[in-house]
Every structure is written in structure tokens, then in C-alpha cells.
Amino acid sequence: MSSQRSSFTGKIGFVLAAAGSAVGLGNIWRFPYLAAKYGGGIFLLTYLVLAITFGFTLMIAEIAIGRKTKLSAIGAFKALDKRFTFVGVLGAIIPIIILPYYAVIGGWVMKYFAGFASGATEQMADGNYFSNFIGSVGEPIFWFALFIAITAIVVFFGVEKGVEKVSKIMMPVLIAMILFIAIYVICTMDGALDGVIYYLKPDFSNFSVMTVVAAMGQLFYSMSLAMGIMITYGSYMKKDISIEKSTRQIEWFDTGVAFLAGLMIIPAVFAFSGGDAAALGQGPGLMFVTLPQVFNTMPAGSVIGAVFFIMVFFAALSSSISLMETIVSILMDKTKLNRRASCLIVLGGALLLGLPSSLGYSAWSSVKIIGMQFLDFFDFASNSVLMPIVALITCIFVGYILKPKAVIEEVEVNGKFKSKGLFTVMIRYVAPVFLLVILTSSILSAFGIIKI
Ligand code: PHE
């Protein structure tokens, strides 16, 4: 792969490609339901603090490692220190776990687009519509297979650039729409203001270790960190682009979209449930239950719903492409298989691994792994276990083996590294200790050993 390593043409090219990978279902679907579930304002605050400290530190480290070595994750760790090759390998497992269940949800998004486009708005606004849909066997599998097949076709033909262009146009429109829906909900619906308060005002009595565990996992997930993706992107980055500035931009952009998505969904949940707290804990279905109800009250709701879901589809597609591309390129590097064979293998594997996540809501709903459904389990295994492990070892590696100086030098290739002090303290002391605590508590609580 290194032989055909291309460069991003300019700063905007890098920022947009990284943002295309970062902004996706994590922002629009996952962030709002976690914020609703784990305490509203206090979750938001925790997330923001973590983003400007942890997120910033890790992203800088990953991009710098990539640009320094000009290699993707496994090769990069190997080149820097052979003993740490396993971190690259561990990181490479994460996209393999995420991609299949990501495609299951991508399939739900397509189904909702099709539903609104065919004018079934009223039916979709019914509270039981979503659970009936995912509770059936065939349809969700059909949409999941379609989503993963589209991803594979794009990766196979190498036309990511085309999708990137489309998402570049779609992204600003999507943001404008989210803002419009948020304003519509807040201004026209009774009870929505209570939701705004719940979302914005930190209530410290809602705080628990789980708030931090969830916010941390979400941070890695949303910013595509701790799995080697940013290392790969960094390896394509030219030397005359500021790593520090680009990192800040990607972070703000990603966090901004997530923030607005929460502002759109949480007040709507309050308005429709009459402030019933149980409605906040709905989990993965939140977006699919609440938004159709909003669209149903709007004039031309079917059109707005269809346009909204097709844009979410494109945001999801640009992320799933980056997931699949990572897996395919590792496979090509390691096995010398060609792109076509690699794509087919990844497609087949993702289909197989995604099935349990889809069936977990229907035929296999009685099967539980440590008390979780398949989709939740995969989500937990990647976000709350593997990613903190990879992040922890990355911090130890950069902090004590490679030394922060190496990263700082890479960042300073073009200008001063303003947050150098923050970076050094975070990567050596704060991040490793914190990650260790988080990791231990999330594992212990999953096995029911402690309650957090
Ligand atoms: N960051 C993407 C999102 O928020 C998901 C993703 C995770 C993409 C990991 C690539 C790698 O939806």
C-alpha cells in the first residue's frame, strides 16, 4: 500500500476526508441516545471536557505517528518499535467488529428513507412501528445487506472520492436541516423547552461513572480514534499542513454536529413523552421513534423525512466506507490478495457477522451475551473495551517509549505547537491513569461485579 500512497492535495482535502469518516451515525444516532440516557447536560459537559483534552491528545498523536512513518497503523507501530506491532493489530480488529453492526443501522436508515419517500409517514410515526420493523426477520436483513453491498461496491471500484464529493455537498445541508428541525421542535411543541433544559443544564445528581464510560467510548467512536484510522489518514497528510489546527477543526466539526443532533432529538422526546423519564432510556431506537413523530406533525413531513434520511444515509455511507477501506487495505497488504478478492471476503465476513446483530431484535432476541443483545454487545466490546485498551497502550507508547518529543517535533514541522504542555501532561499522566480506571470499571460492571 505504501507504494501507491497518495497525498491529500491540501488542508481542506485532509480535514474533509477525516471529517467524512468522523461524522456519521455516531453523531446523529448514537450521541443523542447516549446523552438522553446518561444524564443530559452532565453527559454533554463530560463529553466536551473529554473532547478538548483526551480527544485532542489522541488525535494529534495518531495523525503525527501516521505522518511521521508514512505507514498505516500496523506498519507504523512496527516501524517505530517492533514490540508494539500488536497495538496496530488490536486496532485493526475494531473496524471488523464495528462495520457489520454499523451496516445494520445503516440499513434501518435506508428503510426509513424508503418509507418516507413512499409517503408512509403516518404509519412510521406510530410508536410501535420501529419495534415491529426490527422485530421482523427478513426486512431488516434485506436493508442491512443492501447497505453493506453498496459500501462494498464503492470500495471495490475505488470511487470513495465520488462519495466524498457528494457528502461534501450533503453535509452542510444536513447540518442546516438538523438546525431547522431543532428550532421547529423547540418553537412549536409543548414541553420541548424542558428537554432543552435537560440537555443543556448539567445536573450533577445524574452523574455516575457510567456517564464517563459512555462519554469516553462515544468520543473514540465518533472521532474514529483508537483503531488506526487516523494514523492511516495522517500518513497521507502533507508536511506543510498544520496537524494542530486540522485536529481542532475536525474536533469542532464532529462535536458540533453531535451537539445539534442532541438538540434536535432530546427536546422532541420530552415533547412526545410528556416529560416521562423512561422515554429517555430507549437506547438505539431513539432516533427512529422520535423523528418520524416530529415529521408527521410538519407540513410536507414526508418530503422532509425523506430528505433527512437520505442525507443521514450519505453521512453513514462515508463512514462505513472508511471502515471497510481500512479492513480491505490491511487484507491486501497482509495477504497479497487483489482488491476484488479482498472486497468479497470483507463483504462476506461483514454479512455473516452482521446477521446476529440484526436477528438480535427478532428471532434471536432471547440470546444474550453478558446480559446484552448482539448489537449492544459488539458496540460494548469495541467502544468500552477494545478502544480504551488501544488508547491506553498508545498513550503509554507515545508517553514513555517513543516520547512526546517525537510527536511534538512532527507537529512543529510547520510552526509552533501551542498546546504542547497540555499534550505532554495528558499523554504521560492523565490519560493513562484515567483510561485504566474507566476500562476496569466498565469491564467489572459488565460482568456484574460492581455497580456503577
Ligand atoms: N466516526 C463514525 C461515526 O461517528 C463511525 C466510525 C467509527 C467510522 C470508526 C470509522 C471508524 O459515525
Side-chain angles (χ1 to χ4, degrees), residues 186-202:
I186 295 167
C187 296
T188 65
M189 292 184 178
D190 280 345
L193 264 183
D194 291 332
V196 177
I197 296 171
Y198 176 77
Y199 181 50
L200 297 182
K201 193 168 155 233

Side-chain angles (χ1 to χ4, degrees), residues 3 62 91 100 107 109 164 175 188 204 233 267 279 335 351 362 402 416:
S3 55
E62 291 197 14
V109 170
E164 248 165 49
I175 295 172
T188 65
F204 288 86
Y233 277 11
T335 61
L351 275 171
S362 52
L402 185 68
K416 214 168 136 37

